[in-house]
Each structure stands twice: as structure tokens, then as C-alpha cells.
Amino acid sequence: MAKKLFPTLVCCALACLALMGLSACSQGAPDGAPEAEASTEKLVVGYDNSYPPYGFIGDDGKPCGLDLDLAQAVCDRLGWELECQAIDWDAKDALMNQGSINCIWNGFTMEGREDKYTFSEPYMLNEQVIVVKKGSGIGGYDGLAGRTVATQVDSAALEVLQSDRADLAATFGSLDQITDYNNAFAQLESGLVDAVACDLSIAAYQTSANPDAFVMLDEPLSSEHYAVGFKLGDTERAEKVTQALKELAADGTAKEICERYAEYGVDYDGNWTLG
């Protein structure tokens, strides 16, 4: 993806310090200290670090993003430790089952995945859309017939095109699955693909960062909701995160975090759903 200078708020795990015995969680409670300090709960977030504005690498080389900021604010509210792990998106289920991560918080669509995860209540409204190269002559879905459309592997856009909009996908010349959206948009710019199907926020970021290169088609593929995904049955943790998110909305913290990413197309009033 093209890069711009944006405000960067970093949340990053200190797991290596814990292993070295420098974290309070790995040490016994000091004399006279409450024993609870030795058993702080840890939220281990799996995220894609090439998925702005939700999780990405900033210009300073450090991880940042709206969902990482929200995760940090939730952990601060709950008194938890936060660890953020950049993952191969295609491996997220295996990592969850292994216990390497205990949640997925990364612009994660809940529709169609309700039987695979226990979700928090949804906090963001999103759409799946299609972006084409400016001047391509593609003004609507009819123009995609016989064309090469790319999307990220195991993405919500892919699921929509393989289910509810399979009739549309059948008109494409091909539907390519690419490892990340950075690569997808690089291929769109170079002409290797004709369109990219992605989340609205990704499209808004790309079209605002590259106004002379890309344009978004008017009609969305679908509307959906983002939520935090936990291992199936992890209801207690999901409920605690939901409650913390509601409190962040009530005191204005969630709005302030969303406003940090306004240049990426995030609109608190239009996108936030949890109150």
C-alpha cells in the first residue's frame, strides 16, 4: 500500500520481557503486595500488520492502528496486559486453537463466522466494495466481466464473492487470492489485476492516499459488522471486552480513537455501533 504520514499510536506486546522474568506477571508478588498482581490476565491479539487503519506498520516502523489502540484502551480499562502479535492471516485459526493468540481484533467481520468463534458485540459497521484503476473505463459491475479481480486470502470480501455474490464473481475472468492488500493494490496500480475487492476502510484509505490512481465503485457488495473474535466458548472474556468497549464509547474514548484515523475514512458517527 502507498504510505502517508499519519498520527501513530503504538501498542506492542512485552511478551519477551515476560519470558526474561522482567514482567510483574512472571514474578511472585513482592512482600506485602496483593497476590493478584502476579496473575494479571493477558489479552493476546492476533492481527494483520498490513491492514490499515485497523492494524499496520507506521512510518516509524512500529505497529499501530485503530483496533490496536482500542485493544490497549480496553486492557487499560480492565487492568489486563496487552500483547499484539502480527500473524499470517491464513493461519489465524490454527494460532487460536494452539493458544498462541486468544483473540482476533483486526477489522474482523463476524457475519458468516458465528459458528467458528465467540464474538464480542459488534462495534463497527463496514461494507465490502470494489476499487478499480482510475481511467480504466470500469464504472460498475458490468465492466468487471472477463476481468481479473483480486482480494485477500480468507477475507470477508472473498467470502461474499463466493457466497452471496457468487453470481457476480462468475462473470469475472478470474478471482485471485493474494496474501495481503498491499500486494493487491500494487498489482492494481501496475495493471496486473483490474480490480480489488476489499473493506470500505481499505478502499477509503487507498483512494484518499492515491486519488489519481484509484476509484471506488458506487455500489457496495455487502454490509457487515466488525467484532472481536475469541475461541468458541470463550464467553466470559468476550463479555468483558464488550462491556469495556461500551464504557469507552460512553466516556468519549472510542470516538477520540476513531478520530485519529479519520484520514483513513473512519467516521465514528457513521461507523461505530456499540453504545
Side-chain angles (χ1 to χ4, degrees):
M1 288 186 181
K3 295 290 184 183
K4 292 171 60 180
L5 289 176
F6 292 101
T8 301
L9 260 175
V10 174
C11 76
C12 189
L14 298 178
C16 57
L17 297 181
L19 292 173
M20 295 168 60
L22 297 179
S23 168
C25 296
S26 64
Q27 302 174 8
D31 291 342
E35 190 63 32
E37 290 181 8
S39 57
T40 302
E41 182 161 355
K42 180 185 288 187
L43 187 69
V44 186
V45 174
Y47 75 102
D48 179 351
N49 68 5
S50 59
Y51 203 71
Y54 297 98
F56 61 106
I57 300 300
D59 293 300
D60 60 358
K62 297 178 181 179
C64 58
L66 181 139
D67 278 347
L68 301 190
D69 288 358
L70 284 173
Q72 184 64 68
V74 163
C75 285
D76 290 345
R77 181 64 59 110
L78 294 172
W80 292 356
E81 179 184 350
L82 175 64
E83 178 178 334
C84 299
Q85 288 192 13
I87 63 172
D88 178 348
W89 193 245
D90 201 27
K92 61 186 181 298
D93 292 343
L95 293 170
M96 181 83 83
N97 290 331
Q98 293 165 7
S100 300
I101 59 175
N102 56 30
C103 77
I104 300 167
W105 198 336
N106 192 210
F108 195 40
T109 300
M110 65 183 297
E111 282 85 357
R113 293 175 167 138
E114 294 92 342
D115 294 336
K116 294 180 66 177
Y117 305 91
T118 291
F119 282 100
S120 69
E121 290 184 27
Y123 63 95
M124 292 283 280
L125 177 67
N126 184 50
E127 292 179 331
Q128 295 302 320
V129 299
I130 288 183
V131 177
V132 298
K133 198 169 182 178
K134 200 165 188 176
S136 65
I138 302 174
Y141 291 156
D142 290 347
L144 297 173
R147 305 274 193 158
T148 300
V149 179
T151 191
Q152 186 179 35
V153 62
D154 200 29
S155 64
L158 176 64
E159 182 160 339
V160 168
L161 288 169
Q162 290 179 333
S163 55
D164 294 346
R165 303 308 301 268
D167 55 340
L168 173 62
T171 69
F172 301 162
S174 66
L175 177 59
D176 293 355
Q177 299 182 42
I178 297 177
T179 55
D180 60 75
Y181 280 120
N182 281 337
N183 192 10
F185 277 94
Q187 291 194 27
L188 178 59
E189 189 167 19
S190 67
L192 291 175
V193 302
D194 301 299
V196 174
C198 61
D199 293 82
L200 176 62
S201 56
I202 301 294
Y205 166 65
Q206 286 291 341
T207 54
S208 63
N210 305 280
D212 297 326
F214 306 129
V215 63
M216 182 168 52
L217 299 186
D218 291 336
E219 183 183 349
L221 292 169
S222 67
S223 295
E224 63 201 24
H225 294 88
Y226 286 160
V228 187
F230 299 86
K231 190 172 183 178
L232 199 63
D234 194 0
T235 305
E236 182 178 357
R237 186 154 27 205
E239 289 176 348
K240 287 180 179 179
V241 168
T242 293
Q243 183 57 38
L245 284 170
K246 288 180 177 180
E247 292 173 7
L248 294 177
D251 70 11
T253 302
K255 183 174 184 179
E256 188 273 327
I257 291 173
C258 287
E259 288 173 347
R260 296 173 194 168
Y261 299 91
E263 292 182 82
Y264 289 84
V266 176
D267 175 19
Y268 178 84
D269 292 329
N271 297 127
W272 187 268
T273 62
L274 193 59

